Amino acid sequence: MNLQVMIDSFPALLGGAGLTLQLVGLALVAGFVIALAVALARLARSPFAWMPAYGFVFFFRGTPLLVQIFLVYYGLSQFAAVRASPFWVILREPFWCALIAFSLNTAAYTAEIVRGAIQAVPRGQVEAAKAIGMSRLTRMRRIVLPQALRIGLPAYGNEVILLIKASSLASTVTLLDLTGVARTISSVNYMPVELLSMAALIYLTMTFIVTRAFKLAEHLLSGDRRQPPSLAARPIPGSGAVSPGEAK
Amino acid sequence: MPDLQGFGPMLAVGTLMTVQVALLSTLFGILIGIAVAMMKLSSSRAARIAGDVYTTIVRGVPALVLILLIYFGGVRAVNGLARWLGHSEHVDINAFVAGVFALSLAFGAYATEVFRGAFQAIPKGQIEAARALGMGRWLTFRRVSLPQVWRIALPGLGNIFLVILKETALVSVIGLEELMRKTEYAVGFTRQPFTFFLAAAFIYLALTIVSMLAIQVLERRASRGLEPTGAA
């Protein structure tokens, strides 16, 4: 292993990591919005709503991401209508194609997480909200979604990490993300092992930070459910739940 | 049915290769998973740390990077060895071997956590009873732990298999002629990327469906003799 090569390539790789984070961040936002819509459609009673949602989830979870990226980047150019359309300025750019594929892919996985989390909210609470006279939207906003967020958080954390790793496929459509930079430099200096090891180290750091961040978020969101550290530290019985600030 | 312009048989050959890579990686991955799970549960500190390092690295690095790293690392190692043995020409390593090796490592890292949970789910009393009957450690493992671990771990292993099946597509990057690579050839000839990548997508989808059914059959087989609800 040539350490000097690894150190010298670090700034360039960090630049690549910037593009990786940009792709992941944008795909997570777009994916989450799509996922909410898909999850609600999936839970709807009308087959015109749940069947397309089911098909969407099944297709994007059942095929490799590499195929999905190639379908968007290379595939769409097969149609003259696409090439003549105003969208062509977007669809011929590898950045947008990768972003579209990542967004749809993560949306399919996130939709299942959201659906599971919504279904895990105790039914009695929904019924109680209904009995009080809350409308469907208010029930969703005040009762179901805040709790679903907490229930789905650990699974969503896993999805974020999977997407960070999956984003390395951006390098297959010529993008200079973290993996792309490592592959490009190593094709010039013939030091692939050094560059890929360094890239791996940066990925590890990113996934480690995200794991920690989600653990922290989980901790902060579950203040009312946590057991006090010991009996001695417990507040006077009957004085109510431990406030999140106190339990920290 | 789209017109595959005579490329159907080629895609079928690629599909067969994809299935082979997935199944072999699963086989080796399961063996690695059991071994590393035992390391993580052992009383030796060194073994536990080694197990942790392995799963942390492999689970924190993209599969594509892992595949490339093992391929190029393998090429360098083999050539270093060849030069040391007095061979002067460049030696290439087999993409199939490198791909299966990388995906086995990936499968093994995920399977480790599944097996660890499964081993811990076996009531301690059963192990103690087996030892009291005079069974040795290995016999206890083989007759008492393993058959139950298999049943408990199966759903988790099934999920990993579905992930690995899709990740075999990445081995096309190092030149293995599996489904994705064959599809790229067809695209190069026909200039119909959408048709052929969509065809590949549906083949992967079909493989996924078949795998899900097979996993279901295995799960039912593994839990025969138990109550249908699965409750003990």
Side-chain angles (χ1 to χ4, degrees):
Chain A
M1 289 282 252
N2 188 331
L3 268 181
Q4 193 55 46
V5 171
M6 292 175 78
I7 296 164
D8 289 345
S9 64
F10 188 66
L13 289 172
L14 270 192
L19 181 62
T20 292
L21 289 179
Q22 200 181 336
L23 278 167
V24 170
L26 291 172
L28 282 177
V29 174
F32 195 80
V33 174
I34 303 170
L36 267 184
V38 174
L40 291 177
R42 191 82 167 67
L43 289 168
R45 226 170 271 150
S46 155
F48 292 104
W50 71 257
M51 275 169 63
Y54 185 86
F56 172 81
V57 170
F58 195 71
F59 181 84
F60 280 96
R61 297 208 317 166
T63 57
L65 179 60
L66 187 63
V67 177
Q68 294 162 19
I69 294 181
F70 282 8
L71 262 177
V72 178
Y73 183 60
Y74 298 112
L76 291 181
S77 68
Q78 181 176 327
F79 307 106
V82 174
R83 291 198 302 271
S85 78
F87 300 112
W88 185 236
V89 281
I90 289 175
L91 291 176
R92 69 175 179 205
E93 292 294 332
F95 176 84
W96 291 106
C97 289
L99 186 57
I100 291 168
F102 291 163
S103 303
L104 293 174
N105 185 274
T106 189
Y109 285 92
T110 308
E112 285 301 279
I113 295 171
V114 172
R115 182 178 68 97
I118 288 177
Q119 283 178 327
V121 173
R123 249 198 106 56
Q125 296 197 16
V126 181
E127 281 162 10
K130 236 187 250 182
I132 293 177
M134 282 191 192
S135 72
R136 219 183 129 80
L137 199 71
T138 317
R139 278 201 312 266
M140 264 292 162
R141 190 165 56 83
R142 289 224 191 126
I143 311 292
V144 178
L145 288 182
Q147 296 191 81
L149 178 73
R150 179 164 69 189
I151 296 168
L153 201 64
Y156 190 62
N158 282 339
E159 172 54 24
V160 172
I161 288 170
L162 285 178
L163 185 64
I164 291 177
K165 295 194 287 168
S167 72
S168 68
L169 297 193
S171 67
T172 60
V173 287
T174 72
L175 282 175
L176 291 176
D177 71 320
L178 180 47
T179 307
V181 170
R183 291 174 73 180
T184 308
I185 298 181
S186 57
S187 70
V188 177
N189 70 4
Y190 299 108
M191 297 276 188
V193 178
E194 280 78 2
L195 280 144
L196 290 165
S197 304
M198 203 66 207
L201 211 63
I202 299 175
Y203 276 114
L204 266 175
T205 312
M206 291 199 286
T207 50
F208 179 78
I209 292 172
V210 171
T211 312
R212 284 288 132 148
F214 271 91
K215 284 251 167 72
L216 184 70
E218 240 174 87
H219 186 81
L220 293 177
L221 282 175
S222 63
D224 58 323
R225 308 211 150 178
R226 238 171 298 135
Q227 287 285 321
S230 73
L231 276 176
R234 193 175 232 163
I236 305 141
S239 71
V242 185
S243 79
E246 226 176 309
K248 179 81 199 358
Chain B
M1 196 60 198
D3 178 18
L4 293 179
Q5 305 181 28
F7 281 98
M10 198 162 117
L11 296 189
V13 171
T15 306
L16 207 64
M17 180 57 95
T18 290
V19 171
Q20 276 177 34
V21 171
L23 288 179
L24 264 183
S25 306
T26 302
L27 179 67
F28 292 128
I30 286 176
L31 295 179
I32 296 173
I34 293 177
V36 181
M38 309 267 292
M39 279 167 70
K40 279 200 174 189
L41 292 170
S42 83
S43 49
S44 151
R45 213 175 116 81
R48 285 202 307 269
I49 291 176
D52 277 336
V53 168
Y54 161 65
T55 51
T56 307
I57 290 179
V58 174
R59 295 199 306 164
V61 171
L64 178 62
V65 173
L66 195 67
I67 289 169
L68 291 170
L69 202 51
I70 282 169
Y71 180 68
F72 289 117
V75 168
R76 184 186 285 184
V78 166
N79 280 290
L81 188 72
R83 214 164 311 128
W84 187 68
L85 292 172
H87 192 83
S88 58
E89 278 162 59
H90 179 80
V91 190
D92 243 340
I93 70 165
N94 191 319
F96 181 79
V97 175
V100 169
F101 190 65
L103 291 180
S104 300
L105 282 183
F107 195 111
Y110 288 100
T112 296
E113 301 306 318
V114 171
F115 280 119
R116 191 166 63 128
F119 276 116
Q120 281 174 328
I122 293 172
K124 232 177 138 50
Q126 293 191 13
I127 312 286
E128 283 164 8
R131 300 305 292 273
L133 281 173
M135 286 191 192
R137 280 175 83 97
W138 170 242
L139 200 62
T140 307
F141 175 74
R142 193 162 57 84
R143 287 225 188 123
V144 181
S145 302
L146 207 55
Q148 301 190 78
V149 159
W150 175 244
R151 171 174 57 83
I152 301 168
L154 207 49
L157 295 178
N159 283 339
I160 304 172
F161 180 77
L162 294 178
V163 172
I164 291 293
L165 178 65
K166 288 178 285 165
E167 286 191 342
T168 57
L170 302 182
V171 185
S172 65
V173 173
I174 55 171
L176 183 71
E177 308 239 324
E178 41 65 79
L179 177 54
M180 204 57 199
R181 189 77 170 184
K182 296 283 192 197
T183 309
E184 284 170 27
Y185 288 147
V187 167
F189 269 106
T190 59
R191 307 242 156 253
Q192 293 194 341
F194 194 83
T195 313
F196 280 93
F197 285 128
L198 194 65
F202 280 114
I203 294 175
Y204 280 111
L205 219 47
L207 290 178
T208 300
I209 293 171
V210 171
S211 311
M212 281 164 72
L213 291 175
I215 292 162
Q216 216 172 33
V217 170
L218 283 176
E219 276 179 33
R220 208 170 296 150
R221 245 186 73 88
S223 52
R224 66 193 188 280
L226 287 169
E227 285 182 39
T229 49

